[in-house]
Amino acid sequence: MSQYFDIGDETLWNPSDGAARLFLRQVEVFEAELELPSGLGPMRNDECQIDPEVFGIFVHALLARHRRTGHPIVLALSESVVGVVVVLAQRAGIDIDWERLEAFPDGPLADVQVSAAGASGPGEGGAWAAAAVRAGAAELSRGMAR
């Protein structure tokens, strides 16, 4: 069995039931963390409709949050979700403002790792690079059937 992530009649991703279920549950975590809806509708009859306008807002908020952390555990826990979200956004034609994201983040750093050597955040030994996020998404995309 498989599930469909669609915008209208266009399928963006057709994962197995288990992959879809795990992804949707992880997205729920980030919806709670960001206090924003993702734009991913409920899975009904093996289909999840995506609202591209709401999803675009969620994508940028998720990437901005990811950009503001230098905590290695938080980054590790979020990288796969961020990658899948980026692939879906690209397939949906959502314009991601990579230049703005690459600049130093607006707002305070979040989840900064503190060690004996001191704090590490973006630009302080925990450099964030949009290129790395894009490369990770490109790798995931090759395994994400439509």
Side-chain angles (χ1 to χ4, degrees), residues 63-71 74-75 101 103-114 118-128:
L63 287 169
R65 183 189 189 287
H66 191 64
R67 167 67 175 100
R68 286 191 313 270
T69 187
H71 195 292
V74 173
L75 289 170
L101 289 164
F104 196 80
D106 293 332
L109 300 179
D111 300 313
V112 176
Q113 175 70 40
V114 178
S120 175
E124 303 163 8
W128 186 91

Side-chain angles (χ1 to χ4, degrees), residues 17-27 81:
D17 291 349
R21 190 173 48 253
L22 185 59
F23 173 67
L24 287 172
R25 287 182 178 153
Q26 289 175 325
V27 166
V81 174

Side-chain angles (χ1 to χ4, degrees), residues 56-122:
I57 293 166
F58 178 78
V59 169
H60 280 92
L62 179 63
L63 287 169
R65 183 189 189 287
H66 191 64
R67 167 67 175 100
R68 286 191 313 270
T69 187
H71 195 292
I73 302 304
V74 173
L75 289 170
L77 290 169
S78 61
E79 283 175 352
S80 60
V81 174
V82 168
V84 173
V85 163
V86 168
V87 172
L88 291 175
Q90 290 170 335
R91 290 179 179 181
I94 293 169
D95 186 31
I96 297 173
D97 189 350
W98 291 107
E99 187 174 310
R100 186 177 127 242
L101 289 164
E102 190 65 47
F104 196 80
D106 293 332
L109 300 179
D111 300 313
V112 176
Q113 175 70 40
V114 178
S115 67
S120 175

Side-chain angles (χ1 to χ4, degrees), residues 1-6 11-24 43 46-48 50 84 88 91 140 143-146:
M1 299 267 321
S2 61
Q3 311 272 299
Y4 297 87
F5 288 82
D6 300 333
T11 297
L12 305 180
W13 185 31
N14 178 228
S16 68
D17 291 349
R21 190 173 48 253
L22 185 59
F23 173 67
L24 287 172
M43 190 61 72
D46 297 329
E47 294 180 1
C48 173
I50 300 171
V84 173
L88 291 175
R91 290 179 179 181
L140 283 172
M144 290 175 63
R146 286 184 185 231

Side-chain angles (χ1 to χ4, degrees), residues 38-57:
S38 66
L40 300 176
M43 190 61 72
R44 290 194 180 122
N45 299 321
D46 297 329
E47 294 180 1
C48 173
Q49 282 293 321
I50 300 171
D51 179 327
E53 189 172 316
V54 175
F55 187 57
I57 293 166

Side-chain angles (χ1 to χ4, degrees), residues 24-38:
L24 287 172
R25 287 182 178 153
Q26 289 175 325
V27 166
E28 288 174 2
V29 169
F30 287 97
E31 286 176 322
E33 286 292 312
L34 296 169
E35 298 179 346
L36 285 173
S38 66

